[in-house]
């Protein structure tokens, strides 16, 4: 697979359990946040996004929570499956800028 | 749509050689981004284009790196001469509009190894 980081924080979760991946973002002026999933050998793939005027957004099996007070973002995955094993990145965008800034990533490992 | 297409998928070269990475964005997308991913630095933005025009190349590490987008369906990232520290996975991504409103779609990446 691709080298996405041997030194990434790793979260191990039993299959079927819920998982929570956390991210601290850096810029208080950021107003748009995105979670990406990167499987081995592939490019990052969009999962879900949230704007700063919201504190929660739900998708299919995923929920993103935003706490602007402490500049914290989390991704909750319900009933984890083997296919959820990947590296998850949070990314932030400021004032509808053209670009986004990626965090370092968290590796999610699903235990059988 | 086939998504973002990158070639080659793997490239092994020797130090000092020229390397050219290629990208075909999703048709109709106005933005194209080049990223580099390494263990040490994670995912870094190198340069991006809007309507084939380079907008921000502040992430390009050195003059050895250059990128072009001659038309809306093709972009290249060139490294000349290449060095071992350039070894990384290089991703191309495209989006319909600005990243503040539209999703970036990534290609599968090119794994570059410079010996």
């Amino acid at each position: 697979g691709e080298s996405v980081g041997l030194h990434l924080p790793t979260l191990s979760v039993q299959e079927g359990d819920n998982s929570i991946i956390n991210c601290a973002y850096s810029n208080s002026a950021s107003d748009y946040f995105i979670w990406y999933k990167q499987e081995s050998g592939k490019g990052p793939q969009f999962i879900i996004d949230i704007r700063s005027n919201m504190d929660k957004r739900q998708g299919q099996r995923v929920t993103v929570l935003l706490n602007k007070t402490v500049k914290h973002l989390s991704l909750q995955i319900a009933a984890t499956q083997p296919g959820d094993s990947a590296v998850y990145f949070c990314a932030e965008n400021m004032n509808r800028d053209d670009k986004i800034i990626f965090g370092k990533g968290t590796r999610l490992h699903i235990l059988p | 749509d086939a998504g973002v297409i990158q070639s080659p998928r793997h490239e092994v070269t020797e130090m000092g050689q020229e390397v050219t990475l290629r990208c075909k964005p999703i048709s109709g997308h106005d933005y194209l981004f080049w990223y580099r991913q390494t263990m040490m630095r994670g995912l870094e933005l190198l340069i991006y284009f809007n309507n084939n025009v380079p907008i921000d190349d502040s992430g390009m590490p050195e003059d050895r790196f250059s990128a072009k987008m001659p038309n809306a369906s093709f972009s290249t990232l060139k490294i000349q001469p290449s060095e071992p520290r350039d070894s990384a996975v290089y991703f191309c991504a495209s989006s319909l509009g600005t990243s503040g409103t539209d999703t970036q779609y990534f290609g599968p990446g090119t794994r570059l190894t410079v010996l």
Side-chain angles (χ1 to χ4, degrees):
Chain A
E2 306 298 349
S3 296
V4 297
L6 295 179
H7 305 293
L8 291 174
T10 298
L11 175 66
S12 296
V13 176
Q14 205 75 38
E15 183 179 348
D17 286 353
N18 300 333
S19 65
I20 300 176
I21 301 170
N22 296 304
C23 175
Y25 62 92
S26 56
N27 195 328
S28 57
S30 293
D31 57 4
Y32 177 54
F33 306 89
I34 314 106
W35 280 100
Y36 280 86
K37 172 186 180 183
Q38 186 176 22
E39 297 175 88
S40 181
K42 297 182 179 180
Q45 178 184 14
F46 171 88
I47 302 174
I48 191 168
D49 59 1
I50 188 168
R51 298 209 173 272
S52 59
N53 60 351
M54 304 172 68
D55 53 21
K56 179 179 180 179
R57 190 169 187 212
Q58 287 185 291
Q60 188 176 20
R61 281 201 310 118
V62 294
T63 300
V64 56
L65 299 177
L66 175 63
N67 185 330
K68 295 181 287 293
T69 303
V70 294
K71 294 191 289 185
H72 184 267
L73 196 65
S74 68
L75 177 70
Q76 300 178 358
I77 304 175
T80 53
Q81 304 168 357
D84 295 329
S85 289
V87 176
Y88 290 81
F89 295 93
C90 65
E92 59 186 295
N93 174 275
M94 185 176 65
N95 294 334
R96 298 188 178 231
D97 192 1
D98 286 343
K99 55 189 179 184
I100 56 177
I101 307 299
F102 281 85
K104 294 299 183 186
T106 297
R107 188 184 303 277
L108 178 64
H109 179 54
I110 307 301
L111 302 169
Chain B
D1 197 316
V4 175
I5 299 172
Q6 291 186 248
S7 65
R9 290 296 313 276
H10 301 272
E11 176 80 36
V12 180
T13 190
E14 292 187 343
M15 182 174 64
Q17 296 299 306
E18 176 182 303
V19 174
T20 299
L21 311 181
R22 297 172 175 80
C23 175
K24 177 176 169 35
I26 294 173
S27 177
H29 280 193
D30 289 337
Y31 284 80
L32 184 141
F33 305 82
W34 281 102
Y35 290 88
R36 177 173 68 177
Q37 188 173 43
T38 62
M39 285 190 292
M40 295 301 296
R41 292 195 178 90
L43 202 57
E44 303 173 278
L45 177 65
L46 300 177
I47 185 172
Y48 77 90
F49 296 82
N50 179 18
N51 291 321
N52 314 337
V53 177
I55 303 300
D56 184 347
D57 65 354
S58 59
M60 296 285 262
E62 299 172 32
D63 291 344
R64 297 184 296 108
F65 285 68
S66 62
K68 294 181 180 180
M69 192 165 185
N71 56 64
S73 60
F74 184 65
S75 177
T76 59
L77 178 67
K78 184 179 294 186
I79 308 172
Q80 180 185 20
S82 58
E83 296 182 3
R85 60 191 167 126
D86 300 331
S87 297
V89 181
Y90 291 81
F91 289 102
C92 176
S94 70
S95 65
L96 191 61
T98 178
S99 296
T101 57
D102 291 305
T103 302
Q104 289 188 24
Y105 294 88
F106 283 76
T110 295
R111 187 185 193 106
L112 173 64
T113 302
V114 183
L115 304 175

